[in-house]
Amino acid sequence: MSAVDREKGSYDEKASLEQTEQGGNGVEVTEAPLPATSWAGTAEEKRLVRKLDMRIMPLTCILYLFAYLDRTNLGNARLQGLPQDTLGGDSTGVLFDWVNSAFFFSYILCQVPASVTSKLFPPRIWLGCAAVGWGLASTLMSTGFNFPGMIVARVFLGIFEAGFGPGIPLYLSFWYTKHEMGTRMAYWFGFAAVAGAFGGLIAFGVQHAQTAISNWRLLFIIEGIPTVLLGFITMWLLPNRPEETSFLNEDERRIQLERRSRGLKADVGRVVNKKHIYAAFMDWRIYLAGVIYFGANCALASISAFLPTIIKTFGVTNARAQLLTVPPYAVSAVVLTLTAYVSDRLQSRGIPMSCAACVGGIGYLLLLTVPDDNHVRYFAVFCITSGTYTVIGVTIAWTAHNLGSETKKATGIPMYMAIGQCGSVLGSHIYPSVEGPRYIKGFAVSCALEFVAAICGIVLTISYRLENRRRNKKYVL
């Protein structure tokens, strides 16, 4: 393996060697013996990957579609009367901001313990129960009549989604190699953008519904109940770990275990290695990934919750504002998928990610500097959604296969996600109604954080490449 592998290529395998010899931050890692037969690039492996894609990807992507719908539908509900019915009008927007950010407090606190604990349970049961839980929490938001009731529902929504968000990158790493992970993570996270588009269409339809209950209550019911049903389907159809599942026959299982053995194979199975948890907390690259995720999530949370409101400042009706949120999300899904595909082919994540962050930052600059041209401002929204979604999707893929053992992944993935979700809390409080329609503070903060994410991406890229170069000299003859 050569240095051409760049920041993501040779890091994992050489990390396993170095950690075995030196303890890697005090961690003893045992490299699993390589199988006598390698199935890399064979027709049998390609058939297996197609089989995995047909079963795993649809389920995980649809789960994330509904997770994101249930997480972000507050932005649409805001235009359908939720503040007037439950928050006493909330003319300043402060109470709505707290309802929006309540989700992130419980989500942040529960991510690391939930992800580590998930290693002790069958994935289909863990992820299925999480879906049932957040689906019920979302549906019960329709019964809220005051500020405390909405806060409680959002807190429980965060608790259950914390068992799902970091769990999926960990779960997919059981099945896909580093050369396949970027595109699959793009498909998965791309459904967050699809959810934005789909949510706008649902909200547009609900806006015109004539029912005995408020439109926003109907919105929560329509988007919550299918999630509960999907949770039970997940318990039935989602494969467990490769060594346990009945989804594979013995030949396929042998191939899959060989595919998994191409990376570090310490603490595989339902075990938790405490030393690897410590190693994750001592890895500075995880914290830098968290800074990237912080900047992107600040922009993402604010866009998700406030995009309909921002578009309404263009002078359109509530219903048309809901509809105009659809195209930016649809374009961002395409951009994310194409970028992830290219990064998989090049085996380079940092440079594409930093370029995407710059695109998002330019979008915010346009909103700040062109206050009167709605065509330019709408184009800026496309830049923001495309850049921000791409940053997050590529970062998740970048990190998932650079952490070594399963326990370190189970700790490190929710660590940087938890740091990043603090940006979501910030993003929920920088667009108060009293600062519209310019929202100078919100746009400026999000703009700065996008460019900080780009800089951190470059730093992390240089770090990985220097580390690969050092390990190439040490381990490659």
Side-chain angles (χ1 to χ4, degrees):
M1 186 172 296
S2 70
V4 175
D5 292 322
R6 295 188 172 93
E7 72 267 23
K8 185 172 176 289
S10 57
Y11 185 79
D12 295 333
E13 288 82 354
K14 295 197 196 86
S16 67
L17 291 170
E18 184 158 296
Q19 286 176 325
T20 300
E21 292 181 1
Q22 301 177 0
N25 289 328
V27 179
E28 260 183 50
V29 176
T30 304
E31 178 80 0
L34 291 176
T37 302
S38 174
W39 298 90
T42 62
E44 290 85 353
E45 182 185 36
K46 292 176 182 178
R47 281 197 298 270
L48 173 60
V49 172
R50 285 195 296 270
K51 181 176 180 178
L52 298 178
D53 286 343
M54 292 295 291
R55 174 66 72 88
I56 293 173
M57 294 313 300
L59 272 173
T60 55
C61 288
I62 295 172
L63 275 170
Y64 197 58
L65 170 69
F66 282 97
Y68 210 77
L69 278 176
D70 294 334
R71 182 189 309 184
T72 61
N73 51 17
L74 271 183
N76 298 115
R78 186 184 199 183
L79 297 185
Q80 295 175 346
L82 182 147
Q84 289 74 25
D85 291 348
T86 64
L87 306 178
D90 190 27
S91 58
T92 64
V94 173
L95 293 181
F96 176 84
D97 293 349
W98 281 110
V99 171
N100 186 45
S101 60
F103 163 86
F104 298 107
F105 290 120
S106 55
Y107 189 67
I108 290 167
L109 292 174
C110 295
Q111 277 187 308
V112 173
S115 183
V116 173
T117 305
S118 71
K119 276 180 57 65
L120 304 177
F121 295 89
R124 63 185 178 89
I125 300 299
W126 180 269
L127 297 173
C129 289
V132 171
W134 90 66
L136 287 173
S138 178
T139 305
L140 291 174
M141 284 185 67
S142 64
T143 65
F145 286 92
N146 53 32
F147 177 69
M150 301 303 293
I151 288 287
V152 169
R154 290 285 289 180
V155 166
F156 276 96
L157 184 69
I159 290 173
F160 286 108
E161 284 208 28
F164 171 77
I168 290 294
L170 176 64
Y171 174 71
L172 293 182
S173 72
F174 299 160
W175 296 98
Y176 293 104
T177 68
K178 64 186 179 183
H179 298 281
E180 302 160 350
M181 193 70 169
T183 305
R184 272 69 183 184
M185 288 309 308
Y187 293 154
W188 178 70
F189 189 74
F191 269 73
V194 173
F198 192 47
L201 290 173
I202 294 174
F204 180 75
V206 170
Q207 185 82 25
H208 293 87
Q210 302 296 324
T211 63
I213 61 174
S214 303
N215 287 342
W216 65 268
R217 296 185 192 276
L218 179 62
L219 180 68
F220 287 135
I221 293 171
I222 289 174
E223 295 182 353
I225 290 178
T227 306
V228 178
L229 299 177
L230 185 61
F232 288 109
I233 293 173
T234 299
M235 295 181 204
W236 177 40
L237 290 179
L238 191 70
N240 277 329
R241 304 175 64 93
E243 63 271 21
E244 298 174 348
T245 183
S246 59
F247 173 63
L248 303 177
N249 61 40
E250 289 308 311
D251 289 337
E252 291 168 338
R253 194 186 319 278
R254 189 178 305 113
I255 296 172
Q256 180 56 37
L257 292 177
E258 185 275 326
R259 281 161 48 82
R260 196 174 62 175
S261 72
R262 295 172 197 169
L264 184 63
K265 292 318 300 157
D267 74 357
V268 172
R270 297 185 194 173
V271 296
V272 174
N273 190 315
K274 294 180 181 179
K275 293 182 179 179
H276 295 184
I277 295 175
Y278 175 77
F281 278 100
M282 297 301 293
D283 189 342
W284 66 270
R285 292 184 180 92
I286 293 176
Y287 295 97
L288 196 59
V291 174
I292 296 171
Y293 214 64
F294 181 96
N297 268 285
C298 178
L300 183 65
S302 57
I303 282 293
S304 300
F306 299 100
L307 182 57
T309 303
I310 292 170
I311 291 179
K312 193 170 181 294
T313 65
F314 297 173
V316 299
T317 62
N318 283 358
R320 187 165 175 78
Q322 308 275 21
L323 197 59
L324 286 175
T325 63
V326 175
Y329 286 120
V331 170
S332 66
V334 175
V335 172
L336 167 59
T337 303
L338 290 176
T339 305
Y341 175 78
V342 171
S343 72
D344 259 357
R345 294 297 298 270
L346 298 177
Q347 280 298 286
S348 178
R349 315 280 189 206
I351 301 301
M353 187 280 297
S354 295
C355 290
C358 289
V359 170
I362 290 170
Y364 280 111
L365 278 177
L366 290 174
L367 289 180
L368 284 167
T369 57
V370 186
D372 301 320
D373 190 331
N374 287 341
H375 293 92
V376 174
R377 289 168 67 80
Y378 194 47
F379 170 75
V381 170
F382 281 83
C383 293
I384 293 167
T385 54
S386 297
T388 303
Y389 277 94
T390 300
V391 168
I392 294 178
V394 173
T395 301
I396 293 173
W398 195 11
T399 310
H401 270 291
N402 270 336
L403 292 178
S405 73
E406 282 188 11
T407 296
K408 191 175 180 184
K409 288 178 184 177
T411 308
I413 290 172
M415 270 179 60
Y416 80 79
M417 285 188 172
I419 295 169
Q421 291 301 339
C422 295
S424 300
V425 177
L426 174 63
S428 300
H429 290 274
I430 55 179
Y431 289 90
S433 300
V434 294
E435 295 189 7
R438 292 293 306 278
Y439 296 110
I440 292 176
K441 179 178 68 177
F443 293 153
V445 170
S446 298
C447 177
L449 289 174
E450 291 270 22
F451 286 115
V452 168
I455 294 170
C456 290
I458 297 297
V459 172
L460 202 54
T461 297
I462 294 172
S463 167
Y464 278 132
R465 294 188 181 186
L466 291 175
E467 184 69 11
N468 279 345
R469 185 178 303 171
R470 182 182 71 82
R471 292 180 179 182
N472 278 342
K473 292 179 181 178
K474 185 172 183 178
Y475 295 109
V476 179
L477 298 178

